Amino acid sequence: MTFMNHIGYILSEIGRAGRNSDGSYTRGCYSPAYFDGLDIVERQMEELGMEVSRDAAGNILGVLPGKDKKLGSIIMGSHLDTVPSGGLFDGAYGVAGGLEVIRRMKEEGKTLNHSLELYGFNGEESNPLGGTFGSRAVAGLVEPGQPGLSEALKTYGHTVLDILNCKRNLSDAKCYLELHIEQGDHLFNDEMEIGVVSGIVGIVRYKVMAVGHSNHAGTTMMQKRRDALTAMAKLIVQADAKCREIDNALVLTVGTIRCWPGSENVIPGRVECIFEMRHMDKDMTDRLIDEIRNIAAKIDTVEFEITKQIDEESVKCDEHLIKVIGRAAAELEMKHIIMPSGAGHDANPMAHCLPVGMIFVPSKDGLSHCKEEWTEEKELENGVDVLYKTIELLDEEV
Ligand code: HGY
Ligand code: MN
Ligand code: MN
């Protein structure tokens, strides 16, 4: 794929890391492919004359000093890891967009009043350390007592203390801005050029274990079975129907399943799934898990164990930043709407430390987390233009 503009060029450069033969991309948390991506970004930052550093959480940071050191930095960023067999744009576009903003400033000989910073975060996608890992480390939100954290970190050559030391005092920074593809189909279907993000949904995940009884597949009659897999299947189907009943904006995904002992001629005795639910309003996800527990209690062939794994609260973007991004889009005469994000982002942890704003560009057919993920060059350019204009407007606020 050859892009003709700078942002496309930088993206395809980052895309040289972790590219699979089927055209998808895999840069897992702390993986060699991930660090290949970091090396590519580091070279781009150095060519732009930025001060570059890395931390134990696997993040990279480039800094372009501004005229007035007393002013807090304007921080841009997104993630450089991907889901397995993911797309070119998720995360990488926000880092490439930040590099392109800085390239343009250099080209125009412009030095801002505020310092400009750009993060490439590690581990935003689901991973053994928990998603948004790199940005949570910077925000100081990694719980030292998180179950399994120390063991997982050991495999990456780090200790919990290494990660706690990644915490940064962000109180003096002006704001955090993240440029990202929508990953949904609203902008694409409504032929909108820019999404001004109002907030990021909360993400709640539960580990659900169905405990039945393994037995012989040939000699155990149907009425005597305690089949964990059919019980889990009933729970999933009924939970899906209940989710659709509760609210149109409520989503439930069961994306993983493990089955023991996992043999064709043995009735499954244990099955484990992760139930993930998302909504801007916590009451909705609370209601859904209560309904799921009620459904589970009525399936009497097995016992269900339901334990919360992750509870990332929804966050609101900063009202002032929403206005400034909207003004930038309007001045650039771009069709834009204010909308929530159904995807999680590094802006969520960052929102616990400083004002955050997000800018969306369309995803073709709303596809993401797959090799078909696509955003047109002009649309990529639009996002960078709005990010650039937003930074110019914010930089005048001294
Ligand atoms: O899962 C998400 O929403 C994000 O892409 N990690
Ligand atoms: Mn993603
Ligand atoms: Mn993302």
Side-chain angles (χ1 to χ4, degrees):
M1 157 199 331
T2 46
F3 290 98
M4 302 312 285
N5 59 7
H6 279 286
I7 177 66
Y9 163 73
I10 300 171
L11 254 176
S12 40
E13 276 296 286
I14 297 173
R16 285 191 299 112
R19 183 171 163 80
N20 302 315
S21 54
D22 66 356
S24 65
Y25 299 83
T26 303
R27 292 192 297 272
C29 181
Y30 279 112
S31 67
Y34 171 77
F35 285 110
D36 289 345
L38 237 55
D39 293 343
I40 292 165
V41 169
E42 182 158 9
R43 279 196 296 279
Q44 298 272 342
M45 288 178 167
E46 286 170 343
E47 281 170 25
L48 290 167
M50 299 178 85
E51 295 156 14
V52 187
S53 60
R54 296 190 186 195
D55 67 15
N59 303 314
I60 189 167
L61 172 65
V63 180
L64 195 70
K67 290 178 202 152
D68 185 346
K69 297 277 179 295
K70 291 191 300 308
L71 295 173
S73 295
I74 295 172
I75 302 176
M76 305 177 284
S78 196
H79 58 98
L80 284 168
D81 65 309
T82 69
V83 293
S85 302
L88 171 63
F89 304 87
D90 178 12
Y93 171 54
V95 179
L99 289 167
E100 174 56 5
V101 161
I102 289 162
R103 189 198 64 79
R104 290 187 189 180
M105 287 191 176
K106 288 277 182 178
E107 194 174 65
E108 295 170 16
K110 190 195 247 321
T111 304
L112 296 179
N113 299 309
H114 297 78
S115 295
L116 204 45
E117 302 188 21
L118 174 61
Y119 269 108
F121 288 118
N122 182 30
E124 189 275 343
E125 302 293 359
S126 296
N127 67 77
L129 300 162
T132 61
F133 172 70
S135 47
R136 282 188 296 120
V138 170
L141 296 175
V142 173
E143 286 300 328
Q146 179 184 320
L149 177 67
S150 174
E151 295 73 21
L153 279 172
K154 220 174 267 155
T155 60
Y156 303 125
H158 290 294
T159 64
V160 174
L161 189 59
D162 292 340
I163 302 309
L164 298 181
N165 290 336
C166 294
K167 177 177 171 20
R168 177 176 161 190
N169 174 11
L170 291 162
S171 57
D172 54 0
K174 180 174 178 68
C175 65
Y176 172 78
L177 296 171
E178 184 162 355
L179 180 61
H180 206 287
I181 54 172
E182 181 201 340
Q183 298 182 292
D185 59 6
H186 298 298
L187 297 176
F188 181 76
N189 290 343
D190 300 349
E191 295 181 353
M192 285 288 155
E193 292 166 302
I194 294 291
V196 183
V197 179
S198 53
I200 303 167
V201 291
I203 302 179
V204 193
R205 289 192 189 123
Y206 289 88
K207 181 162 78 173
V208 179
M209 182 71 88
V211 183
H213 199 293
S214 298
N215 211 329
H216 195 293
T219 55
T220 314
M221 294 302 109
M222 296 310 281
Q223 67 277 17
K224 292 211 173 127
R225 293 184 173 211
R226 296 189 61 219
D227 184 328
L229 191 48
T230 53
M232 183 65 87
K234 287 174 191 163
L235 181 64
I236 293 169
V237 168
Q238 292 180 56
D240 181 281
K242 186 55 75 178
C243 176
R244 294 163 194 268
E245 258 178 51
I246 293 174
D247 186 84
N248 286 339
L250 182 61
V251 289
L252 170 69
T253 309
V254 179
T256 61
I257 188 160
R258 297 167 71 196
C259 175
W260 292 271
S263 166
E264 297 82 355
N265 64 347
V266 180
I267 299 166
R270 293 165 67 84
V271 171
E272 176 197 285
C273 289
I274 303 291
F275 282 50
E276 183 200 86
M277 47 201 82
R278 302 187 186 198
H279 199 280
M280 280 303 293
D281 177 354
K282 189 161 172 37
D283 291 347
M284 291 293 157
T285 47
D286 286 350
R287 191 166 146 210
L288 178 56
I289 191 62
D290 288 347
E291 295 284 1
I292 288 172
R293 290 184 195 280
N294 295 338
I295 296 164
K298 294 191 185 90
I299 300 172
D300 59 6
T301 51
V302 299
E303 292 302 319
F304 282 101
E305 297 160 5
I306 301 176
T307 41
K308 186 182 281 189
Q309 270 203 325
I310 285 185
D311 188 349
E312 189 168 75
E313 301 254 325
S314 63
V315 293
K316 293 216 181 308
C317 291
D318 177 74
E319 285 303 329
H320 175 61
L321 291 175
I322 291 170
K323 283 195 188 76
V324 176
I325 296 168
R327 185 181 149 201
E331 287 185 12
L332 292 164
E333 295 177 356
M334 286 188 201
K335 291 179 288 175
H336 60 284
I337 49 166
I338 296 178
M339 60 184 289
S341 170
H345 298 287
D346 290 306
N348 186 314
M350 297 299 273
H352 292 74
C353 306
L354 77 171
V356 304
M358 284 198 76
I359 300 164
F360 276 170
V361 294
S363 292
K364 187 170 183 300
D365 299 321
L367 295 177
S368 182
H369 280 187
C370 58
K371 66 180 185 301
E372 293 79 12
E373 190 178 271
W374 183 258
T375 298
E376 300 299 336
E377 278 197 278
K378 176 68 180 83
E379 293 167 333
L380 296 173
E381 199 85 35
N382 289 345
V384 174
D385 293 348
V386 172
L387 178 61
Y388 190 97
K389 183 78 186 163
T390 299
I391 289 168
E392 281 185 314
L393 293 172
L394 290 169
D395 191 51
E396 290 158 10
E397 297 174 357
V398 290

